Amino acid sequence: MRKKLPLVEQWAWLLFAIALAYKIYACFQVPVVTSDVLRHLGYSSHALENNFAIYTTTADDFIPESWTRYWSEQPYIYPPTTLIFYYLFSLFHLGIFWVKAVLTLIDLGCTYLFYKHISKLAALLFFCAPVSLWYTSHEGQFEILQTLFIILNAISVKKQQWRLAGFWFAISVQVKQFGVLLLPWMLYEMWENRNEEHQSFINIVGKALQGLILGFIPFLAFYIQAPNLLFLPITSGSTLAYNPFAWNVLNRKLFDWNPKWLVLWNALFSYAPLIILIIVGIIAWKKRKFATSISTVPLTLFWFITKSLKWGQFWYTIVAPGFLFCLSRKSLIHLLLLLHLMQCLHSIVAIAIEPIGARESQSSFTLMNSCMFVCDLQRLGKRT
């Protein structure tokens, strides 16, 4: 007879199954609070045109295609890894469902890495996080792609696979710039693992740079046309101000439609991990446990920058758990994952009741609905 699972594990598998069932269901649903996936698919359908000059254009350059109504005066600000990810869907005219299904599979892959390298509890807490349930599987936001590459980068560093670490670092930075936050920890680990008889610090850095170069070479044509493309989020010139995690909870202009209870919730669950990380880092430094102290730097920087952004969104926090792979204390990782699980009240309300706040227009909903499974945005509906 097969041994019966302990009650705790039975409940854990039940929670996992519920989360998985919801994610599968969500992949079939039309996004309701963001149409970003349409803009990604529309822009990426032109990715290789005009000698890779896509980063020198704005959406208005592709009028009358229907997707150009979204942020029409803005250039495409996401680096080449993201662009090519969406290009693979637009190339075969695959719609929103397929994008969300692949992102959900990536989410499942990250869960496996938490299970393999940290713990079953960490994997469960990560997989059940409402922010990913809603914004990855329902709304199709791509941050989980960067989470994956951050995790692979951190694992490679811990295994001292320096070329691979450099490669994953390059790929991560070219999904979204948050990947660069791993650099201080990476450099410290390189320094700590030097061995003058076999492998100097310069030698280790050289191997990492080899991987870094390999990670940039596939996208070289884009950089020839737009050398500044990694800085487009800073230089694109948007005057909008909105950040649900902003430092000053009294400045209502920064929170737009967010009700007070949501502002306070977001403040609590963004200040809390930041404070915990700072305390752990300081205590470890005073005890001369420098490796522990430096390992808190990437996630500390993530929260500091996220709270300081002029323009931020709920789904940015999907990236945060990736930086936990820099840490070694499982108790701290579990605590931060528990906070991550509770952090996005907006997603919890959207899943349990209905979305609150800003929603997409009916015309956007109709267009996305027609683009769920097969989608050729160069032909589907013209902008009026």
Side-chain angles (χ1 to χ4, degrees), residues 141-196:
Q141 293 294 339
F142 68 87
E143 269 67 15
I144 194 64
L145 186 64
Q146 185 169 51
T147 306
L148 172 65
F149 293 130
I150 287 172
I151 291 172
L152 292 174
N153 187 356
I155 291 172
S156 298
V157 169
K158 287 193 171 182
K159 290 184 175 181
Q160 299 181 38
Q161 297 171 331
W162 303 116
R163 288 187 184 90
L164 203 53
F167 176 78
W168 290 129
F169 180 81
I171 298 299
S172 171
V173 169
Q174 293 176 102
V175 176
K176 214 170 185 180
Q177 290 80 358
F178 279 132
V180 78
L181 302 181
L182 285 168
L183 188 58
W185 174 72
M186 286 180 64
L187 290 172
Y188 178 83
E189 289 294 313
M190 290 176 185
W191 178 259
E192 280 295 291
N193 286 283
R194 73 195 188 283
N195 185 320
E196 291 184 2

Side-chain angles (χ1 to χ4, degrees), residues 158-316:
K158 287 193 171 182
K159 290 184 175 181
Q160 299 181 38
Q161 297 171 331
W162 303 116
R163 288 187 184 90
L164 203 53
F167 176 78
W168 290 129
F169 180 81
I171 298 299
S172 171
V173 169
Q174 293 176 102
V175 176
K176 214 170 185 180
Q177 290 80 358
F178 279 132
V180 78
L181 302 181
L182 285 168
L183 188 58
W185 174 72
M186 286 180 64
L187 290 172
Y188 178 83
E189 289 294 313
M190 290 176 185
W191 178 259
E192 280 295 291
N193 286 283
R194 73 195 188 283
N195 185 320
E196 291 184 2
E197 293 182 5
H198 300 94
Q199 205 168 206
S200 68
F201 176 69
I202 297 298
N203 182 250
I204 292 173
V205 171
K207 290 180 179 180
L209 286 175
Q210 291 172 20
L212 187 78
I213 292 169
L214 287 175
F216 275 96
I217 283 177
F219 310 113
L220 186 60
F222 294 110
Y223 290 96
I224 292 173
Q225 291 285 2
N228 68 328
L229 71 84
L230 288 179
F231 300 97
L232 286 176
I234 301 170
T235 61
S236 59
S238 175
T239 58
L240 296 174
Y242 170 73
N243 185 352
F245 307 105
W247 295 100
N248 185 3
V249 296
L250 300 178
N251 187 351
R252 291 295 302 162
K253 292 180 180 179
L254 296 174
F255 301 97
D256 195 17
W257 58 267
N258 293 190
K260 289 182 180 180
W261 52 266
L262 185 58
V263 172
L264 293 175
W265 185 277
N266 286 326
L268 173 63
F269 285 97
S270 56
Y271 271 109
L274 184 59
I275 292 169
I276 290 170
L277 287 162
I278 290 172
I279 291 173
V280 169
I282 291 173
I283 291 174
W285 188 270
K286 287 183 176 181
K287 291 183 177 180
R288 302 186 68 79
K289 296 180 178 180
F290 301 124
T292 298
S293 183
I294 299 298
S295 70
T296 65
V297 170
L299 188 51
T300 301
L301 289 174
F302 170 83
W303 277 113
F304 185 87
I305 291 171
T306 298
K307 291 180 70 63
S308 303
L309 291 171
K310 183 180 178 182
W311 177 261
Q313 290 288 357
F314 296 102
W315 55 84
Y316 289 10

